[in-house]
Amino acid sequence: MSSIRVRFAPSPTGFLHIGGARTALFNWLYARHTGGKFVLRIEDTDDARNSQEAVELILRGLSWLGLDWDEGPAPTPEDPYASKGDRGPYFQSRRTAIYQKYVEKLLSQDLAYEKEGAVRFRMTTDPVTVKDLVVGDVVREMPDREKADPDFVILRSDGKPVFHLVNVIDDLEMGITHVIRGEDHLSNTPKHLKLFEAFGVEPPKFAHIPLILNANGSKMSKRDDGASMLPYIDNAYSPEGVVNYLSLLGWSPKQDREIFTPQEIVELFDLPAIARSAARFDIDKLNWANTEHIKSMSSARLAELARPELEKQGAQLEGRSSEYIESALDTCREKIKNFSEIYSFAQAYFVDSVQIDPELKTQTFNADLKPILNALRQAIAEQDPFESGELAARVKSLTKELGVKMGKVMLPTRLALTGSKTGPDLYPLMVVLGREECLKRLDAALNWIDG
Ligand code: GLU
């Protein structure tokens, strides 16, 4: 087993956003690629801005994406701070005593001192080199003491530890070997390196990943369109499609295709392949990746993702076999953008009797249609094998015999079978519904005519 340990360390200030999700994903991919461990640590030292609700939303977002963590929060109804793993607690708000010990150590070695009640760390004025696995060597010049005080607060006068301190102590205590985080933290890294040095330990390796920009090149903020993960979850996108898209934000598999399953990405992912330049968020590409996954996933997975939406919107699934549900959904997958659309598309499969708009009904189902529907009914009753290509040919020859246009048969048939002008392709739909059900629905429609 590999000794690699990476972590995602969100501050729970709101919902998981694209940037955070991408950082979590890259850490998870690296852990899974190397056989290492993925740790989730909640950086909740800022009482004023952090909330339990935000923690839940982060956990929900990660779980939805399929980014399982080996160590980290495992809340129960009794204990929202419960954790799994032997280096916890994994909530910084529960680690105060640990930080205190480290501060005392720094004070006793004169590596930190107190000023106006706050503890400050003695920062170097020499240049600091960050050896970054993505960005390369970054040399940071430090200002002269006369010009600016390089020392920084690590424990506030109210006793609260500061981000730099807790972030470093936890990476050290949790045995983190690689810090993969957003490039916005690169400016903090010299401070972190000096803290690791003061604690007498080797720092982890750093990999700062490029920022995500809006489509127009401006810096993406949490409030920008598309930035929150919530709409993708609420509209039931496919997690594998979103994971695929997020993985391409700054990483390239260097292949002539862009659609990969999460497992394929795990196999291909590596840190040197991360780009240095910023990535642009492109909602069209995300939608494309999502629909490509919906088209190509297994029927079982399609049904698994569609089921909650179908149930939520009132589909009658009880008593229907998983084989039926899967073949029904197979006929819809090419046409939907996400699973929140699936019920309106697939509903005809999951009703006991067809509902139709009364106006559409009287317009369409009139006496002229009767011979056509009767002929169709007979064709369906006789057609063997009951297979979509054969059905198509049969209906075509029927229109010739009757001397009517295709549309004259197709639209009323669709309305009789589904109640709607849109939906899955007609012949595959007939096959899934089965001969008996088609006949039942055509009989009902013939009754509409007789009214
Ligand atoms: N809590 C920090 C953040 O959310 C984590 C920084 C890091 O990954 O080191 O930005």
Short mmCIF file of all heavy atoms in Angstrom, two decimals, residues 7 9-11 41 43 163 167 171 179-181 184-185 192, ligand 1:
data_model
loop_
_atom_site.label_atom_id
_atom_site.label_comp_id
_atom_site.label_asym_id
_atom_site.label_seq_id
_atom_site.Cartn_x
_atom_site.Cartn_y
_atom_site.Cartn_z
N ARG A 7 -5.43 15.45 1.29
CA ARG A 7 -6.63 15.89 2.00
C ARG A 7 -7.34 16.98 1.26
O ARG A 7 -6.78 17.72 0.46
CB ARG A 7 -6.26 16.32 3.42
CG ARG A 7 -5.64 17.69 3.73
CD ARG A 7 -4.78 18.31 2.72
NE ARG A 7 -4.13 19.53 3.14
CZ ARG A 7 -4.42 20.76 2.72
NH1 ARG A 7 -5.37 20.95 1.82
NH2 ARG A 7 -3.77 21.81 3.15
N ALA A 9 -9.59 20.20 2.44
CA ALA A 9 -9.73 20.90 3.72
C ALA A 9 -10.64 22.12 3.58
O ALA A 9 -10.19 23.26 3.73
CB ALA A 9 -8.35 21.31 4.22
N PRO A 10 -11.92 21.91 3.30
CA PRO A 10 -12.79 23.06 3.07
C PRO A 10 -13.14 23.81 4.35
O PRO A 10 -13.20 23.22 5.43
CB PRO A 10 -14.06 22.42 2.49
CG PRO A 10 -14.10 21.06 3.12
CD PRO A 10 -12.67 20.62 3.22
N SER A 11 -13.36 25.11 4.19
CA SER A 11 -13.92 25.91 5.27
C SER A 11 -15.43 25.93 5.03
O SER A 11 -15.86 26.30 3.94
CB SER A 11 -13.38 27.33 5.24
OG SER A 11 -11.97 27.28 5.21
N ARG A 41 -10.94 17.04 5.93
CA ARG A 41 -10.78 17.80 7.17
C ARG A 41 -11.59 19.08 7.07
O ARG A 41 -11.49 19.80 6.08
CB ARG A 41 -9.31 18.14 7.36
CG ARG A 41 -9.04 19.03 8.54
CD ARG A 41 -7.56 19.18 8.77
NE ARG A 41 -6.95 20.20 7.94
CZ ARG A 41 -5.81 20.07 7.28
NH1 ARG A 41 -5.15 18.93 7.29
NH2 ARG A 41 -5.32 21.07 6.59
N GLU A 43 -12.21 22.75 8.06
CA GLU A 43 -11.48 23.87 8.66
C GLU A 43 -12.48 24.90 9.18
O GLU A 43 -12.75 25.92 8.56
CB GLU A 43 -10.50 24.46 7.63
CG GLU A 43 -9.50 23.38 7.18
CD GLU A 43 -8.12 23.90 6.81
OE1 GLU A 43 -8.01 25.00 6.25
OE2 GLU A 43 -7.14 23.19 7.12
N PHE A 163 -5.62 30.54 10.57
CA PHE A 163 -5.58 29.57 9.47
C PHE A 163 -4.19 28.96 9.21
O PHE A 163 -4.04 27.74 9.15
CB PHE A 163 -6.13 30.24 8.20
CG PHE A 163 -5.76 29.52 6.92
CD1 PHE A 163 -6.28 28.27 6.62
CD2 PHE A 163 -4.85 30.10 6.02
CE1 PHE A 163 -5.92 27.61 5.44
CE2 PHE A 163 -4.50 29.44 4.85
CZ PHE A 163 -5.03 28.20 4.56
N ASN A 167 -3.71 24.95 9.73
CA ASN A 167 -3.57 24.25 8.46
C ASN A 167 -2.27 23.43 8.46
O ASN A 167 -2.25 22.25 8.10
CB ASN A 167 -3.58 25.32 7.35
CG ASN A 167 -3.59 24.75 5.95
OD1 ASN A 167 -2.54 24.62 5.34
ND2 ASN A 167 -4.76 24.41 5.42
N ASP A 171 -1.84 19.31 8.76
CA ASP A 171 -1.17 18.56 7.70
C ASP A 171 -0.06 17.71 8.29
O ASP A 171 0.17 16.57 7.89
CB ASP A 171 -0.62 19.52 6.63
CG ASP A 171 -1.74 20.03 5.71
OD1 ASP A 171 -2.83 19.42 5.70
OD2 ASP A 171 -1.53 21.04 5.02
N VAL A 179 0.02 18.32 -0.62
CA VAL A 179 -1.03 19.32 -0.48
C VAL A 179 -1.41 19.77 -1.89
O VAL A 179 -0.63 20.42 -2.57
CB VAL A 179 -0.55 20.51 0.36
CG1 VAL A 179 -1.55 21.66 0.27
CG2 VAL A 179 -0.34 20.09 1.81
N ILE A 180 -2.60 19.35 -2.31
CA ILE A 180 -3.09 19.74 -3.63
C ILE A 180 -4.20 20.75 -3.38
O ILE A 180 -5.23 20.42 -2.77
CB ILE A 180 -3.64 18.51 -4.39
CG1 ILE A 180 -2.57 17.42 -4.48
CG2 ILE A 180 -4.14 18.92 -5.78
CD1 ILE A 180 -3.10 16.06 -4.97
N ARG A 181 -3.96 21.99 -3.73
CA ARG A 181 -4.96 23.02 -3.44
C ARG A 181 -4.92 24.11 -4.49
O ARG A 181 -4.02 24.16 -5.33
CB ARG A 181 -4.74 23.60 -2.04
CG ARG A 181 -3.40 24.29 -1.87
CD ARG A 181 -3.24 24.77 -0.43
NE ARG A 181 -1.92 25.32 -0.18
CZ ARG A 181 -1.46 25.63 1.04
NH1 ARG A 181 -2.23 25.44 2.10
NH2 ARG A 181 -0.26 26.13 1.19
N ASP A 184 -4.77 30.03 -5.44
CA ASP A 184 -4.97 31.20 -4.57
C ASP A 184 -4.24 31.04 -3.23
O ASP A 184 -4.02 32.02 -2.53
CB ASP A 184 -6.46 31.50 -4.36
CG ASP A 184 -7.27 30.27 -4.00
OD1 ASP A 184 -6.86 29.15 -4.40
OD2 ASP A 184 -8.29 30.40 -3.30
N HIS A 185 -3.84 29.81 -2.90
CA HIS A 185 -3.11 29.60 -1.64
C HIS A 185 -1.60 29.67 -1.80
O HIS A 185 -0.88 29.59 -0.81
CB HIS A 185 -3.51 28.25 -1.02
CG HIS A 185 -4.84 28.31 -0.35
ND1 HIS A 185 -5.07 29.01 0.81
CD2 HIS A 185 -6.03 27.75 -0.67
CE1 HIS A 185 -6.33 28.89 1.18
NE2 HIS A 185 -6.94 28.13 0.28
N HIS A 192 3.71 28.76 5.36
CA HIS A 192 3.49 27.38 5.79
C HIS A 192 4.80 26.60 5.82
O HIS A 192 5.05 25.83 6.75
CB HIS A 192 2.46 26.71 4.86
CG HIS A 192 1.11 27.36 4.94
ND1 HIS A 192 0.02 26.93 4.24
CD2 HIS A 192 0.68 28.44 5.65
CE1 HIS A 192 -1.03 27.71 4.51
NE2 HIS A 192 -0.64 28.63 5.36
N1 GLU B 1 -9.61 25.92 4.37
C1 GLU B 1 -8.82 26.31 3.24
C2 GLU B 1 -9.74 26.68 2.10
O1 GLU B 1 -10.91 26.32 2.13
C3 GLU B 1 -7.91 25.16 2.85
C4 GLU B 1 -6.63 25.52 2.25
C5 GLU B 1 -5.77 24.32 1.94
O2 GLU B 1 -6.24 23.44 1.21
O3 GLU B 1 -4.67 24.24 2.47
O4 GLU B 1 -9.35 27.38 1.20
#
